[in-house]
Amino acid sequence: EIYSDFLNHLLDNRQNDIEYILDWTAISLQSRNLTYLVTAGQEGVGKGIFGKILELLHGSDNYLAIGGQSIKKQFNSQFHGKTLIYINEIKDISGDLDEKVKLFNEDHMEVEKKGIDSETLRNYANFYFSTNNLDAIKLSENQRRYSFVDITRTRFIFNDTWKELYKSENINALASFLFNREYNPKYIATPYRSETTQFIQTVNDQDWQIYIKEELFTKYNGRNITISDLNKLLKFMGFKGITHARTKVY
């Protein structure tokens, strides 16, 4: 019951998000998630508390917590053999770093130590990201990795009652529940789409993309428009930074 109370706080009583985070955690113990769980929102609401619960569930030998800047480093030997990696306070995952993070969910990972040739080893890790910045991760329309859950804006006041979250007998009971939970298998590889996911996708769109979604589709509904004419129209409207439109997008 203490974990139910905590998740109801963290996820603002959103039942769909609660069921998903339980599924994701169950998969992390029974199998391996191919999507990354993300909590993005205000500081002090309990994102790190959930990370500590994951550590206790997986065991300290199987768990690694690192700052967001650490994933930019070349050497990653600390990832090897871990089943849960918590990357907190991420600032900006885009460009080359985004390409690097894409490889985190592969079945095998190239592990490199300083002064030693890299080797390809089995990847056992589940990845949990947290951030205070909603725009820290740039999402494409067909993103296949990040599962955002909608979290609260209410600060979490840790007191003696909440220490029950860390008690070994309670962790053992939660682990037993999760080991026996029949999770939705689609969530192993399919990202969870929450209101936060949709909001971040909109925020990350460029102005010309927003114009197409919100105005042009309505104005030209039922009519044909060539890619060439679309590019000319967007440039005529004064939008900057437009690359060649792709037919698969439109």
Side-chain angles (χ1 to χ4, degrees):
E1 192 168 309
I2 191 74
Y3 301 108
S4 176
D5 291 343
F6 172 73
L7 290 178
N8 273 300
H9 158 78
L10 181 65
L11 303 171
D12 258 350
N13 298 299
R14 296 182 179 91
Q15 195 58 39
N16 287 342
D17 292 75
I18 291 171
E19 290 299 319
Y20 174 75
I21 210 170
L22 288 172
D23 274 5
W24 190 93
T25 308
I27 293 167
S28 79
L29 293 170
Q30 297 182 40
S31 178
R32 186 170 76 90
N33 287 287
L34 300 181
T35 68
Y36 314 144
L37 178 66
V38 186
T39 54
Q42 295 181 5
E43 183 178 2
V45 299
K47 301 188 297 291
I49 300 293
F50 183 69
K52 180 65 177 178
I53 293 171
L54 289 175
E55 177 184 5
L56 295 171
L57 286 170
H58 281 262
S60 57
D61 290 342
N62 303 315
Y63 177 89
L64 174 68
I66 59 175
Q69 296 300 309
S70 298
I71 59 175
K72 296 181 179 180
K73 297 178 180 178
Q74 177 181 357
F75 305 108
N76 62 348
S77 59
Q78 71 271 34
F79 284 15
H80 176 53
K82 305 302 182 184
T83 58
L84 198 294
I85 297 175
Y86 174 27
I87 302 175
N88 59 71
E89 295 309 321
I90 54 174
K91 302 298 183 185
D92 181 29
I93 296 182
S94 60
D96 291 342
L97 184 58
D98 182 51
E99 292 301 313
K100 182 177 181 179
V101 171
K102 280 181 182 179
L103 302 177
F104 285 175
N105 65 1
E106 297 293 330
D107 289 336
H108 292 82
M109 179 181 293
E110 188 175 13
V111 176
E112 188 172 359
K113 298 180 181 179
K114 190 173 183 179
I116 301 176
D117 291 340
S118 63
E119 55 182 332
T120 301
L121 300 171
R122 176 80 178 273
N123 183 12
Y124 300 96
N126 300 269
F127 287 85
Y128 167 48
F129 292 80
S130 72
T131 179
N132 298 334
N133 303 312
L134 284 174
D135 61 349
I137 298 175
K138 306 299 185 288
L139 294 183
S140 62
E141 195 68 44
N142 61 346
Q143 63 90 14
R144 290 288 183 268
R145 298 179 303 282
Y146 301 106
S147 288
F148 288 81
V149 287
D150 297 324
I151 64 172
T152 186
R153 296 182 179 181
T154 304
R155 290 186 66 85
F156 184 73
I157 308 301
F158 192 85
N159 53 34
D160 287 343
T161 299
W162 291 114
K163 290 179 181 178
E164 295 287 323
L165 291 168
Y166 299 157
K167 281 193 173 180
S168 59
E169 57 265 37
N170 292 336
I171 288 292
N172 288 340
L174 178 62
S176 177
F177 166 76
L178 292 169
F179 269 121
N180 292 286
R181 179 180 174 85
E182 293 186 8
Y183 56 78
N184 188 336
K186 82 171 186 178
Y187 284 131
I188 291 178
T190 304
Y192 179 68
R193 294 184 61 83
S194 64
E195 291 179 12
T196 300
T197 310
Q198 297 171 42
F199 172 76
I200 290 173
Q201 283 182 326
T202 301
V203 168
N204 288 336
D205 281 344
Q206 297 181 44
D207 289 343
W208 66 270
Q209 293 171 308
I210 295 173
Y211 167 75
I212 288 176
K213 289 181 179 180
E214 296 183 358
E215 296 185 40
L216 187 134
F217 280 164
T218 300
K219 184 176 180 180
Y220 289 93
N221 184 28
R223 296 171 58 185
N224 294 325
I225 181 170
T226 68
I227 299 301
S228 176
D229 286 344
L230 176 59
N231 277 321
K232 290 176 183 177
L233 173 62
L234 293 174
K235 290 176 181 178
F236 176 79
M237 295 291 292
F239 292 110
K240 305 294 184 182
I242 301 169
T243 57
H244 290 295
R246 298 186 178 93
T247 53
K248 68 178 181 180
V249 175
Y250 303 108

